[in-house]
Amino acid sequence: MALINPHINFNGNAEEAFHFYKSVFGGEFAQITRFKEMSSPEFPVSEKEANKIMHISLPIGKNFLFANDVPESMGRVNENENRSKISISTESKEEADKLFNGLSSGGQIEMPIEDSPWGSYFGMFRDKYGIEWMIDFDQK
């Protein structure tokens, strides 16, 4: 079966955000590649961009959360745009609470985690990096 692996663009703070995500989900980074590692005459990298993240991945269960910093030459990412949300289905109410409380710390809660009208335990928020998340536990 195919897996869905979200990929997030950041404006230079991908590494900071991913250390935060790692503190919530646990695990170790599968890969961190900086722009300077890809520098060549065909792809010159400025000193200002050299240590920014070209690719980072964090395994979460059988899936990965991916990200990169967008080079300034490509313009800024609108961190408050209406993006698609990252939806996490948990295996327990306790796991849902742990992820909701951890990831929403410092962010904006749009819908507190609680029993929903459609029968699942659900919450929604934008984390402190502007990424939108939905956490859901359905006993069915």
Side-chain angles (χ1 to χ4, degrees):
M1 173 177 260
L3 299 175
I4 295 175
N5 299 299
H7 186 108
I8 308 168
N9 292 311
F10 289 91
N11 289 316
N13 60 344
E15 187 168 11
E16 175 188 340
F18 265 61
H19 279 284
F20 171 70
Y21 299 148
K22 180 180 165 187
S23 76
V24 175
F25 289 107
E28 297 298 326
F29 297 124
Q31 183 179 2
I32 299 176
T33 305
R34 299 185 186 282
F35 280 103
K36 67 183 175 186
E37 296 169 38
M38 306 307 291
S39 184
S40 69
E42 298 81 34
F43 184 71
V45 175
S46 72
E47 195 172 311
K48 187 176 181 182
E49 305 275 355
N51 282 317
K52 290 184 179 178
I53 300 296
M54 182 174 184
H55 178 79
I56 189 167
S57 61
L58 178 64
I60 302 173
K62 294 180 180 180
N63 298 68
F64 286 86
L65 184 60
F66 297 120
N68 65 278
D69 288 315
V70 175
E72 289 180 17
S73 63
M74 295 178 75
R76 289 188 57 80
V77 173
N78 182 352
E79 292 174 344
N80 290 315
E81 69 186 5
N82 185 9
R83 306 179 200 200
S84 298
K85 295 182 183 331
I86 298 173
S87 179
I88 300 174
S89 298
T90 64
E91 294 182 3
S92 69
K93 202 171 192 178
E94 294 75 25
E95 182 184 27
D97 285 333
K98 176 184 180 277
L99 295 178
F100 185 91
N101 293 331
L103 290 169
S104 67
S105 177
Q108 296 175 305
I109 294 174
E110 297 172 7
M111 186 175 182
I113 193 158
E114 59 191 9
D115 291 329
S116 70
W118 53 88
S120 70
Y121 188 63
F122 179 85
M124 190 167 55
F125 57 91
R126 181 185 297 267
D127 73 21
K128 63 185 175 183
Y129 299 101
I131 306 304
E132 297 183 45
W133 299 81
M134 296 186 301
I135 308 293
D136 184 71
F137 169 64
D138 192 343
Q139 290 181 294
K140 298 173 191 166

